[in-house]
Amino acid sequence: EAQVTQNPRYLITVTGKKLTVTCSQNMNHEYMSWYRQDPGLGLRQIYYSMNVEVTDKGDVPEGYKVSRKEKRNFPLILESPSPNQTSLYFCASRRTGGTDTQYFGPGTRLTVL
Amino acid sequence: KQEVTQIPAALSVPEGENLVLNCSFTDSAIYNLQWFRQDPGKGLTSLLLIQSSQREQTSGRLNASLDKSSGRSTLYIAASQPGDSATYLCAVCQSGNTGKLIFGQGTTLQVKP
């Protein structure tokens, strides 16, 4: 089954404790990205990657890092999480080209205390 | 800067009714427009993708139209069912290489039995 998976699905942590949210897709997509969803602000792009070893900032990259060492994986790293990073995070992927459907993962609900 | 607006923010209808959800965008330089469904606490499910050169797409009881020149899209749901209750999100993919989706705030639909 074609899918985007994320882990963990739920995470409660404390300020400053480094964490990684994993994202993996099995569709051989070149393009992957991360979004966060907040009430009243909607979904906003954090980072994206056009292919292996090619990443770039989205609209709200502050406080986040990403890496793309393999085509199928695109982890989101919070090196020193803060309460304002409490949010619902989504990973997405699609084939490169701009005209294709983007497929979203199930989401990771993160709470930073 | 692209802005996407969805009206209404919430809608409650009796089962069986036909309904229309509206989406407007300010910049017509888009690759495509995508409609998603989001159930509470869940991920995004792609419903329909309309390329910038297309006028409409249909899938089952759903029909989406696109008028790029006026910056508008509508999602028509025929014979609504309680299982259609969810939040519906409209997103445009900007022309260019970033592949970023810009989302509206969504319309929360409740279909009453």
Side-chain angles (χ1 to χ4, degrees):
Chain A
E1 179 189 355
Q3 60 182 353
V4 179
T5 57
Q6 296 178 227
N7 282 292
R9 294 289 316 279
Y10 303 91
L11 179 60
I12 300 175
T13 189
V14 295
T15 298
K17 186 176 181 181
K18 181 179 178 179
L19 66 91
T20 299
V21 183
T22 65
C23 171
S24 183
Q25 50 91 7
N26 63 1
M27 296 170 277
N28 202 36
H29 286 166
E30 294 86 4
Y31 180 94
M32 298 184 74
S33 64
W34 278 100
Y35 292 83
R36 61 178 288 175
Q37 185 177 33
D38 302 290
L41 296 175
L43 283 125
R44 294 173 293 168
Q45 191 184 56
I46 303 170
Y47 267 96
Y48 66 96
S49 169
M50 301 293 284
N51 214 323
V52 175
E53 302 292 0
V54 181
T55 64
D56 208 345
K57 297 176 181 178
D59 292 328
V60 287
E62 295 77 19
Y64 305 94
K65 286 177 59 177
V66 292
S67 69
R68 188 88 182 276
K69 294 182 169 53
E70 305 167 284
K71 197 173 188 179
R72 64 182 292 127
N73 297 323
F74 190 43
L76 180 69
I77 303 157
L78 286 71
E79 297 221 323
S80 184
S82 62
N84 65 11
Q85 293 179 297
T86 293
S87 187
L88 180 58
Y89 291 87
F90 290 103
C91 180
S93 75
R94 67 163 171 80
R95 291 186 303 173
T96 300
T99 58
D100 290 340
T101 297
Q102 291 209 28
Y103 296 89
F104 280 75
T108 295
R109 185 165 293 281
L110 172 65
T111 301
V112 183
L113 301 174
Chain B
K1 179 186 174 185
Q2 178 76 269
E3 293 182 1
V4 181
T5 304
Q6 291 186 247
I7 295 173
L11 184 61
S12 181
V13 301
E15 182 177 4
E17 195 162 292
N18 302 325
L19 58 100
V20 175
L21 307 181
N22 296 294
C23 172
S24 62
F25 49 95
T26 56
D27 186 348
S28 62
I30 63 171
Y31 274 136
N32 56 54
L33 183 144
Q34 205 165 346
W35 282 93
F36 293 90
R37 169 185 173 139
Q38 184 176 26
D39 293 286
K42 299 287 181 66
L44 279 69
T45 301
S46 179
L47 298 173
L48 289 165
L49 172 74
I50 311 177
Q51 303 295 352
S52 61
S53 58
Q54 297 176 323
R55 296 285 292 182
E56 66 178 302
Q57 282 287 337
T58 298
S59 176
R61 294 182 294 108
L62 304 179
N63 176 278
S65 67
L66 174 64
D67 185 341
K68 203 172 72 160
S69 61
S70 67
R72 294 182 181 182
S73 176
T74 61
L75 179 66
Y76 174 83
I77 302 177
S80 58
Q81 303 170 356
D84 294 331
S85 299
T87 296
Y88 291 81
L89 294 162
C90 162
V92 298
C93 185
Q94 285 292 105
S95 296
N97 289 329
T98 71
K100 178 172 64 178
L101 289 179
I102 299 171
F103 285 84
Q105 294 285 333
T107 294
T108 299
L109 172 66
Q110 182 184 33
V111 180
K112 297 179 179 178

